[in-house]
């Protein structure tokens, strides 16, 4: 791996930290402003809807003007948005901060495009897994920072996130070289900055089925991610510190598996075999979590879930990168992030609709639904694998 790769891996870690600091607190921070469970779900939705439209635009622009300028723009938006949300005095300002973070939030897809630019195809699976490990590491360090910030206030988590993103912005400006070897020469039209591709992307040969799979998996996973939080707080009678520690456990197991376990598995099994097994365990874990309303049992199932879950996203990203043309990496990965964003916007709303605050049993419904739907996506992935295998 080159020096540029480790710089972008560091930037990816910093970016992940700015996100994982917030995950344990967004729901509870929204409740502080008097939002219901359903209304709090829109703090996730508004961010991902904005990101859905913005990410392919930023990806397309990065193909045309370079990765570094777009990464700088995205990180700067995250800094401003989270500092604003952290100092919010009304729910309106909080929602605006989430929207601003989403509309400039193309940094993940641009970072992935940098990796595709500088890493040979044969090494991309391991490269994306290393970057996936930074995401898992972010789930270890991020919740730890969040715990410290929560000692001040829930809003302090947003401020900490903004300052972490500022560090990433400085590193990008000072140390990251431009990675794109041949910029796209296609004309840029405002009404076609990747938006038309959102419609046609699902029908793209080889890539379309991967976009569909990632969209469906993103939807089911975001149903789980949001539904997990009120279930853990209200049914299992835990607090925000316990929720943060739960995410820390998820990250600790995931980073161990990605840095150590993946290397062992990839030498013994095919990439798609690991993918299918990971989805099966994810599905079973979701449906098992609410079977017994006991926090020790829940944490144990969550531990099993963490063992293979972190492989899913790096594998899909690898498959998309390997099936996309070199000059279309930014657009393809941007489209993928955009589809994932709208999936992440839909999931919390579905979970919020299933929950009835006066019926504690309903808090388990999102977990059961996420597990069942994930099983259906696994069947689709297996039956269509010839379309995307490499």
């Amino acid at each position: 791996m080159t020096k540029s790769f480790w710089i972008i891996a560091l930037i990816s870690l910093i970016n992940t930290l700015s996100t994982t600091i917030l995950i344990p607190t967004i729901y509870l921070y929204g409740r502080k402003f008097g939002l219901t469970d359903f209304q709090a779900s829109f703090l996730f939705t508004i961010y991902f809807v904005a990101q859905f439209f913005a990410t392919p635009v930023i990806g397309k622009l990065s193909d045309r003007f370079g990765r570094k300028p777009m990464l700088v723009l995205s990180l700067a938006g995250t800094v401003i948005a989270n500092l604003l949300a952290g100092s919010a005095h009304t729910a309106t300002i909080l929602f605006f901060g989430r929207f601003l973070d989403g509309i400039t939030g193309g940094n993940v897809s641009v970072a992935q495009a940098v990796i595709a630019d500088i890493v040979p195809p044969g090494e991309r699976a391991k490269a994306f897994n290393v970057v996936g490990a930074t995401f898992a590491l972010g789930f270890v360090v991020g919740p730890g920072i969040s715990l410290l910030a929560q000692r001040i206030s829930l809003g302090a988590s947003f401020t900490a996130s903004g300052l972490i993103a500022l560090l990433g912005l400085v590193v990008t400006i000072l140390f990251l070289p431009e990675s794109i070897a041949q910029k796209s020469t296609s004309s840029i039209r405002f009404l076609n900055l990747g938006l038309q591709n959102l419609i046609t992307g699902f029908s793209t040969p080889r890539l379309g089925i991967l976009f569909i799979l990632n969209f469906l998996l993103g939807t089911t996973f975001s149903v789980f991610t949001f539904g997990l939080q009120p279930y853990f707080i209200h049914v299992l009678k835990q607090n925000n510190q316990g929720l943060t520690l739960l995410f820390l456990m998820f990250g600790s197991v995931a980073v161990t598996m990605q840095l150590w376990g993946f290397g062992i598995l990839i030498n013994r099994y095919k990439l798609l075999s690991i993918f299918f097994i990971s989805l099966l365990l994810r599905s079973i874990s979701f449906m098992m979590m609410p079977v017994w309303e006991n926090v020790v049992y829940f944490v144990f199932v969550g531990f099993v879930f963490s063992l293979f879950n972190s492989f899913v996203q790096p594998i899909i990203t690898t498959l998309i990168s390997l099936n996309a043309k070199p000059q279309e990496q930014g657009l393809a990965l941007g489209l993928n992030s955009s589809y994932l964003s709208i999936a992440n916007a839909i999931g919390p709303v579905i979970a919020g609709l299933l929950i009835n605050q006066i019926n504690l049993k309903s808090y388990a419904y999102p977990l059961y639904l996420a597990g069942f739907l994930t099983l259906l996506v696994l069947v689709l992935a297996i039956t269509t694998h010839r379309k995307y295998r490499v």
Side-chain angles (χ1 to χ4, degrees):
M1 300 296 181
T2 64
K3 179 181 178 181
S4 294
F5 170 79
W6 292 111
I7 292 174
I8 196 65
L10 174 62
I11 293 170
S12 296
L13 172 60
I14 292 172
N15 179 64
T16 301
L17 285 175
S18 71
T19 301
T20 54
I21 288 171
L22 299 179
I23 290 177
T25 60
I26 294 175
Y27 166 74
L28 292 168
Y29 193 43
R31 292 299 300 268
K32 174 187 173 183
F33 288 89
L35 302 178
T36 65
D37 286 329
F38 179 64
Q39 291 169 337
S41 73
F42 282 91
L43 289 173
F44 296 84
T45 297
I46 194 172
Y47 169 83
F48 288 115
V49 167
Q51 195 176 66
F52 168 71
F53 288 104
T55 300
V57 174
I58 294 175
K60 181 74 172 178
L61 290 174
S62 77
D63 288 334
R64 179 68 175 85
F65 298 109
R67 313 298 188 205
K68 185 171 181 175
M70 294 301 105
L71 195 56
V72 168
L73 176 65
S74 297
L75 286 167
T78 297
V79 172
I80 296 171
N82 287 334
L83 291 179
L84 181 65
S87 59
H89 296 289
T90 66
T92 301
I93 296 176
L94 175 58
F95 273 106
F96 177 74
R98 296 295 292 158
F99 171 79
L100 178 60
D101 194 11
I103 206 71
T104 59
N107 38 3
V108 174
S109 64
V110 176
Q112 291 172 344
V114 172
I115 295 169
D117 291 338
I118 63 178
V119 177
E123 298 179 17
R124 283 184 199 163
K126 291 184 178 180
F128 279 119
N129 190 67
V130 169
V131 175
T134 68
F135 182 79
L137 183 60
F139 265 102
V140 179
V141 181
I145 297 174
S146 183
L147 276 175
L148 294 176
Q150 288 172 37
R151 292 180 177 272
I152 301 174
S153 68
L154 289 173
S157 297
F158 281 85
T159 302
S161 175
L163 294 176
I164 291 291
L166 179 61
L167 175 61
L169 177 62
V170 172
V171 172
T172 300
I173 293 173
L174 296 181
F175 300 108
L176 183 69
E178 179 56 58
S179 64
I180 190 168
Q182 182 178 357
K183 297 178 182 178
S184 172
T185 57
S186 60
S187 60
I188 299 294
R189 291 178 294 172
F190 180 75
L191 294 178
N192 191 31
L193 290 178
L195 299 181
Q196 179 180 346
N197 294 292
L198 290 172
I199 301 173
T200 61
F202 283 135
S203 61
T204 305
R206 300 184 68 83
L207 293 176
I209 184 61
L210 290 169
F211 291 151
I212 291 171
L213 289 173
N214 210 22
F215 171 76
L216 295 175
L217 288 172
T219 301
T220 59
F221 190 70
S222 60
V223 169
F224 161 75
T225 304
F226 181 81
L228 159 74
Q229 300 184 49
Y231 180 87
F232 193 78
I233 296 293
H234 299 295
V235 177
L236 299 183
K237 309 299 182 184
Q238 304 300 304
N239 56 24
N240 60 307
Q241 285 83 14
L243 181 62
T244 305
L245 288 171
L246 180 69
F247 280 109
L248 193 152
M249 183 201 73
F250 287 163
S252 298
V253 176
V255 73
T256 301
M257 290 298 293
Q258 287 187 314
L259 292 179
W260 174 70
F262 185 80
I264 296 174
L265 292 172
I266 198 63
N267 290 327
R268 297 183 180 182
Y269 304 101
K270 294 180 179 180
L271 192 65
L272 289 185
S273 298
I274 301 173
F275 180 50
F276 297 151
I277 292 172
S278 299
L279 289 183
L280 179 61
L281 288 177
R282 176 190 279 194
S283 172
I284 294 172
S285 298
F286 287 169
M287 289 188 283
M288 291 297 295
M289 282 180 178
V291 169
W292 184 20
E293 295 177 2
N294 178 279
V295 67
V296 176
Y297 166 79
F298 188 90
V299 170
F300 173 76
V301 177
F303 174 81
V304 175
F305 155 77
S306 301
L307 289 174
F308 281 81
N309 177 68
S310 58
F311 297 153
V312 173
Q313 196 56 50
I315 289 175
I316 288 186
T317 303
T318 299
L319 292 170
I320 290 173
S321 176
L322 291 175
N323 280 286
K325 298 177 182 178
Q327 67 272 23
E328 295 178 351
Q329 292 289 328
L331 176 60
L333 293 169
L335 280 172
N336 182 57
S337 293
S338 189
Y339 291 132
L340 192 58
S341 294
I342 198 63
N344 288 332
I346 294 171
V349 175
I350 295 173
L353 287 171
L354 291 173
I355 293 173
N356 182 344
Q357 291 182 226
I358 62 174
N359 178 13
L360 281 181
K361 295 293 184 182
S362 69
Y363 283 95
Y365 296 165
L367 304 182
Y368 286 127
L369 179 65
F372 176 71
L373 294 179
T374 300
L375 187 61
L376 295 182
V377 179
L378 171 60
V379 173
L380 177 63
I382 293 173
T383 55
T384 60
H385 76 278
R386 295 182 183 278
K387 295 182 179 180
Y388 58 85
R389 66 180 182 184
V390 294

